[in-house]
Structure formats: C-alpha cells, structure tokens
Amino acid sequence: MWYVSTRGMAPRVNFEGALFSGYAPDGGLYMPEELPLLDRETLHRWSTLSYPGLVKELCALFIGSELIPRDDLDGLIDRAFSRFRHREVVPLSRLKNGLNVLELWHGVTYAFKDLSLSCTAQFLQYFLHRREKHVTIVVGTSGDTGSAAIQSVQGAKNMDIIVLLPKGHCSKIQELQMTTVLTDNVHVFGVEGNSDELDEPIKAVFADVPFVRKHNLMSLNSINWCRVLVQMAHHFFAYFRCAASLDSHVLPPVEVVVPTGAGGNLAAGCIAQKMGLPIHLVVVVNCNDIIHRTVQQGDFSLSEAVKPTLASAMDIQVPYNMERIFWLLSDSNSQVTRTLMEQFERTQRLHLSKELHGKCPQVLPGPCFGSQVPRSSPGRWTDS
Ligand SMILES: *Cc1c(COP(=O)(O)O)cnc(C)c1O
C-alpha cells in the first residue's frame, strides 16, 4: 500500500513514511493511493468481529505485512487497548427510538483520541525500536490531544514528548492530566495566550526544516494518517452493531452523527463510506462552524477568530482534514485539491465550485448529510 499527497506534488511513501510525517513536502496530506472496495463477503466476515478485531483488519489492509507482520500487528493493537477500562473498548449503548451512543470515552484520559493515539504510539515505537531511532513529539493543545498523546507515549524509550499548554484555556482536569505525569520523557510547558497564538511558535519550529531534521521532530495531530486510519474502525463497528441485517439485497444504511473539530473522525467516516460501508454521515459542529457553511453553501472561509466553547476539542478554525475530504469528493484529483487549498491559503476563503459542492451527496450521501449548529447555545454540542 502506497500513500500519495492530496496535492500530488510529493513522492509517494509507504505506511512508515506517512506515519513519521506531518504534512507531505508539497503541503498536502497523505492518503492511500487506492482505496480497497470491500465486498459483501468481507463485510459479512467483519460484522461479527470485536472492535480491536476490526482495528486489526483495517490496519492489516493499510499497513502491509512487509512492514509489520500480522502477528506483530495484532500484538501491538492488543497492547494499545490494554489500558482501556471497558472490556469491549467502545461499547454501544442503546437508547430509545433506535438512537444509539457509541461510547468512545473509556480510554485512560476519557477522550476519544485515546483510541487512535494509543495505536499510533505503538506503531511509532515498533519502527523506532527496529531502526534504533528517537523522535521528539511536539504538540500544542487546547485540551484532549495533549493528555491523550502524553498517556500514549509516556515511558517509551525512543520518544520524548513536549506539550505546550495554553494556561487557563484548558479545563482543570485536562491541565491536571497533563501536569501530573512525572515520567522522564514527558515535558509540559504552560504558555500565555490562546490556542491560536500557541500555533504560531509551533508552526515556526516546524517550518525550520534543518532543525526539524536534526532533532527528529514530529507532531501527533490528526494530520497524521495513522490516526485517521484507526478511527475508521469505530465507524465499521457502529455500523455492524446498528444495522438490522446484512442479508437483505441492499445493505441497510445507518446514520452516524460525528461531533467535529479538525475533521479527522469525519474523514475516517468518508473513507469508510468510499470503501463500501453504507453509512450516512451527519457532521455536528459548535459555533466554530466553517464545515457547516461548507456543506450548506460551499463556503469554506475562515471566521475571524476561534470562539471558545465548553467543547474545546471542537473549537477549530481551520479543519485541516477537509483537504482529505475535498480530495475524495474530487475523485482523488490532486490538481483540483491543490488549486483549492492554495487559494484558501492565499485568501483564507474558498467557494466550492457547483460541481464539487454538488458532488457532496455522492460521497456523503442522501438528505441525511447535513450539519447542525446549536446556534442559541454555543458550547453545547449534544443537543443537535
Ligand atoms: C478531538 C475531539 C473532537 C474533534 O474530532 P476531530 O477528529 O478533530 O473532528 C470532538 N470531540 C472530542 C471529545 C474530541 O476530543
């Protein structure tokens, strides 16, 4: 399996290359060169798997056994989920009227990011150990990412993690989760300013390529392909637990509502869809609503500033994973994607062409693909 940049101007890389990269050298994001289409039999076979079982199947499809042999892969994934508090890792709660809640919060830090970060950290460690290398992970956080990243790499020999924590902008619990880990490889710094201002020094550091090379710096946000990959598994799991029966002529659709910030989880759902999983995605945002405007009007333009809400993990001004979604919508057309994203970077605004906007229903099908903004109560995202 090879990975190409959404902007088409960077050499293709294998999984290991994508895992250790942030942006591709042309500024794009890595995506699989080809998405496997899953046939009925495969979906049937997968439908009885446990959640970790699904993560293993998906990772095996996208990693390649020449890089991580299947036995090793299974062991790494079991280890990644060994600290989850629930036996099923992501149990499904059945509420009234066919409404279900997939509980993604049983990891060490209670954030759904524990799922993908714990696997990503295991894979990183696997390669680092084999190559006798060391990396320094640099993370700026407004909450969940910092704690989950720290927990997933703490104590690892070949990794150090530096977390910049905007003082007063995280919840007390998150701040304590980050500042009370005393392992030698964890370095947390409280900084003045909000999460936007925090991005500046981090961008500056990563723009200094010789410095990045010298110190083997990397990030762990959902620009990283591996996080998107692992997050596909819970869309499959949700589908199999909620679909009435897989025996009918047409597989029954299931609607999946995705609380969205940077769009990593949403991109994972879109890829699962392209692979043949009949889910309808509903994207939910708070008052930081750029994706809502994009879906409704094709208007992908920057708002003036991030508006802080109670759901700080969703307070995102630039949902960078939309680039992966534009690439999918344009049928992997890297030239279209590059033109769009370069225009966005120049002008901070973008109006999707009728053609591209009109394509939304193909990848994100039906009237169910909408977005909902709880306007009256910014910060609440559960009342959609
Ligand atoms: C990170 C996070 C989100 C946003 O996820 P994206 O993949 O960035 O869209 C939403 N809710 C919670 C609780 C999160 O931790």
Side-chain angles (χ1 to χ4, degrees):
M1 174 65 80
W2 292 96
Y3 292 88
V4 294
S5 164
T6 46
R7 302 197 189 179
M9 304 282 272
R12 61 182 197 172
V13 297
N14 63 13
F15 174 79
E16 184 179 355
L19 175 68
F20 282 92
S21 306
Y23 288 99
D26 61 358
L29 302 179
Y30 284 112
M31 282 292 272
E33 192 168 39
E34 275 173 30
L35 289 176
L37 192 61
L38 302 174
D39 56 24
R40 273 286 181 110
E41 270 149 55
T42 309
L43 289 175
H44 256 278
R45 192 158 46 78
W46 285 13
S47 67
T48 54
L49 293 178
S50 65
Y51 167 77
L54 279 167
V55 176
K56 290 172 191 172
E57 290 301 322
L58 278 161
C59 288
L61 267 186
F62 284 96
I63 295 177
S65 56
E66 72 287 358
L67 285 177
I68 308 183
R70 184 61 195 252
D71 280 354
D72 291 356
L73 184 72
D74 289 356
L76 293 171
I77 291 168
D78 285 335
R79 197 166 324 141
F81 296 129
S82 62
R83 293 171 71 207
F84 277 67
R85 289 179 303 271
H86 199 284
R87 166 174 60 80
E88 283 184 272
V89 186
V90 291
L92 186 88
S93 280
R94 298 191 185 274
L95 308 184
K96 275 197 283 198
N97 303 329
L99 185 64
N100 301 287
V101 175
L102 190 64
E103 300 186 355
L104 302 179
W105 57 80
H106 294 285
V108 183
T109 73
Y110 298 82
F112 100 101
K113 293 171 178 67
D114 289 327
L115 294 165
S116 60
L117 278 166
S118 57
C119 291
T120 305
Q122 290 295 327
F123 299 153
L124 285 170
Q125 212 170 337
Y126 181 81
F127 288 114
L128 289 169
H129 178 73
R130 265 205 335 207
R131 315 269 184 244
E132 295 180 13
K133 269 176 52 185
H134 176 278
V135 291
T136 299
I137 294 160
V138 182
V139 173
T141 187
S142 63
D144 295 1
T145 306
S147 328
I150 288 172
Q151 281 300 333
S152 62
V153 308
Q154 63 135 325
K157 275 202 212 81
N158 310 47
M159 294 187 263
D160 274 72
I161 183 164
I162 296 173
V163 174
L164 301 187
L165 153 70
K167 277 196 272 185
H169 291 271
C170 294
S171 70
K172 192 73 196 164
I173 287 180
Q174 288 167 334
E175 209 172 298
L176 287 170
Q177 281 177 335
M178 287 185 254
T179 51
T180 54
V181 178
L182 302 177
T183 326
D184 281 348
N185 70 331
V186 175
H187 317 277
V188 179
F189 300 92
V191 297
E192 310 287 341
N194 62 28
S195 59
D196 273 349
E197 289 160 337
L198 179 69
D199 279 344
E200 299 298 322
I202 294 182
K203 265 190 213 147
V205 166
F206 279 101
D208 186 345
V209 176
F211 185 81
V212 169
R213 290 236 173 88
K214 182 169 168 213
H215 298 281
N216 281 332
L217 295 191
M218 63 175 293
S219 183
L220 265 189
N221 54 24
S222 61
I223 283 171
N224 197 299
W225 159 252
C226 187
R227 289 193 49 195
V228 177
L229 166 60
V230 175
Q231 288 170 15
M232 283 158 60
H234 59 251
H235 288 276
F236 279 90
F237 187 73
Y239 178 79
F240 294 133
R241 292 297 138 111
C242 296
S245 154
L246 298 191
D247 294 325
S248 54
H249 180 60
V250 179
L251 290 180
V254 168
E255 188 175 278
V256 180
V257 178
V258 186
T260 295
N265 202 359
L266 185 67
C270 292
I271 298 168
Q273 234 174 18
K274 271 242 153 163
M275 290 168 65
L277 191 72
I279 49 174
H280 286 183
L281 293 164
V282 178
V283 41
V284 181
V285 295
N286 59 26
C287 55
N288 296 288
D289 67 347
I290 178 169
I291 300 184
H292 170 77
R293 287 182 280 113
T294 308
V295 171
Q296 295 293 317
Q297 302 138 34
D299 169 28
F300 188 69
S301 57
L302 210 65
S303 58
E304 260 159 40
V306 175
K307 301 185 194 83
T309 73
L310 291 178
S312 62
M314 293 165 67
D315 295 347
I316 300 278
Q317 209 182 5
V318 184
Y320 37 77
N321 273 293
M322 286 305 283
E323 177 161 352
R324 289 192 159 107
I325 294 173
F326 293 151
W327 185 81
L328 288 169
L329 290 177
S330 66
D331 290 323
S332 324
N333 189 326
S334 55
Q335 203 180 334
V336 167
T337 311
R338 185 171 73 246
T339 308
L340 281 177
M341 295 316 298
E342 286 179 356
Q343 190 197 332
F344 178 75
E345 278 159 12
R346 265 196 321 275
T347 62
Q348 316 224 303
R349 58 180 50 252
L350 198 65
H351 209 89
L352 295 190
S353 67
K354 272 223 169 60
E355 201 199 337
L356 198 61
H357 187 219
K359 270 192 181 163
C360 290
Q362 272 185 6
V363 177
L364 311 161
C368 295
F369 181 54
S371 60
Q372 302 180 7
V373 187
R375 281 184 202 294
S376 55
S377 52
R380 289 177 59 199
W381 52 281
T382 47
D383 60 348
S384 54

